[in-house]
Amino acid sequence: MEYPVELVELVKKRSQNFNLEGFVSGQGPLYPKLMIVGEAPGRKEIENFIPFSGQAGKELMAYFTSVNLTRDDVYITSAVRSRPYAIKERINKKTGTKEIIYPNRTPTKKEVLAHAPILDYEIKQVKPKLIAPVGNIGLKRLLGNQYNISNYHGQIIQHPIQILNETMDDYIWSKEDYTLVPLFHPAAIFYNRKLEPLIKSDWQVIGNLL
């Protein structure tokens, strides 16, 4: 999606004091069958500008296939559109010298709030029939901190979503309801293979709705 220049500049200004790099636009059609709201792009995404193009993306594409979707059917975005990075020192095993690395990390609530104008704009323009936040960051951005993936995954939720208030420093509830189905993040399976049956079952909820 191409955003208004002033919107991108606004978000860059709101983000200038955070350790964020790059900018990856959301991708997909208007009026999609499904909108995916992830966490933030990783290193590969900020290089090729394709959301969910890493290992987690391969898992996501397999889930799409399981419910007869392709990437072209789905609008893919995230709560934060730049890569959050940490700054760490480690010893290089080959050389024995200290080096600074910049690994991915989870975005903070302040960073999510800084990027909120982008997601608000996308949802307003895209008009998704169904929204699937994948992981806690996307879920809490849309429905608030009382929600978590462990308790709400695979559930069909019809509810207003959080949008920015007029002063852009906090959230208010949208006037309209949206249909959401929270899902585990595709990368969750890398850390806990026991989640695989749950993830597949949750995706069948998506398939049945579609």
Side-chain angles (χ1 to χ4, degrees), residues 142-153:
L142 293 172
L143 291 180
N145 291 327
Q146 69 272 29
Y147 283 83
N148 61 71
I149 290 294
S150 296
N151 291 336
Y152 289 94
H153 67 90

Side-chain angles (χ1 to χ4, degrees), residues 35-134:
M35 173 185 261
I36 295 289
V37 180
E39 182 175 293
R43 192 183 303 277
K44 185 168 185 177
E45 283 82 4
I46 65 165
E47 291 173 354
N48 64 18
F49 304 106
I50 302 172
F52 275 101
S53 53
Q55 285 298 114
K58 291 180 181 179
E59 293 293 328
L60 184 62
M61 294 309 111
Y63 299 138
F64 284 178
T65 300
S66 73
V67 292
N68 298 314
L69 289 174
T70 69
R71 185 182 274 268
D72 292 337
D73 298 317
V74 183
Y75 190 91
I76 304 176
T77 187
S78 56
V80 173
R81 299 289 346 129
S82 300
R83 182 180 85 95
Y85 63 90
I87 303 173
K88 294 185 177 182
E89 187 179 273
R90 72 177 181 185
I91 301 297
N92 186 302
K93 292 181 180 179
K94 292 182 179 180
T95 64
T97 58
K98 290 182 180 180
E99 61 183 11
I100 304 298
I101 59 171
Y102 304 91
N104 296 340
R105 61 170 172 80
T106 302
T108 66
K109 291 179 181 178
K110 288 184 178 180
E111 289 165 343
V112 172
L113 183 66
H115 279 243
I118 292 280
L119 187 57
D120 283 357
Y121 177 83
E122 287 178 309
I123 292 173
K124 187 176 180 180
Q125 297 297 315
V126 170
K127 295 180 171 57
K129 296 177 182 177
L130 176 62
I131 302 175
V134 292

Side-chain angles (χ1 to χ4, degrees), residues 147-194:
Y147 283 83
N148 61 71
I149 290 294
S150 296
N151 291 336
Y152 289 94
H153 67 90
Q155 295 187 28
I156 301 169
I157 301 170
Q158 290 187 305
H159 199 276
I161 60 171
Q162 292 190 142
I163 59 175
L164 275 181
N165 62 12
E166 289 188 2
T167 53
M168 294 191 173
D169 59 0
D170 204 353
Y171 301 110
I172 58 174
W173 292 110
S174 64
K175 293 180 180 179
E176 63 269 44
D177 284 354
Y178 289 82
T179 302
L180 301 94
V181 177
L183 301 170
F184 286 104
H185 194 281
I189 200 169
F190 302 147
Y191 310 107
N192 186 355
R193 282 284 166 186
K194 292 180 181 179

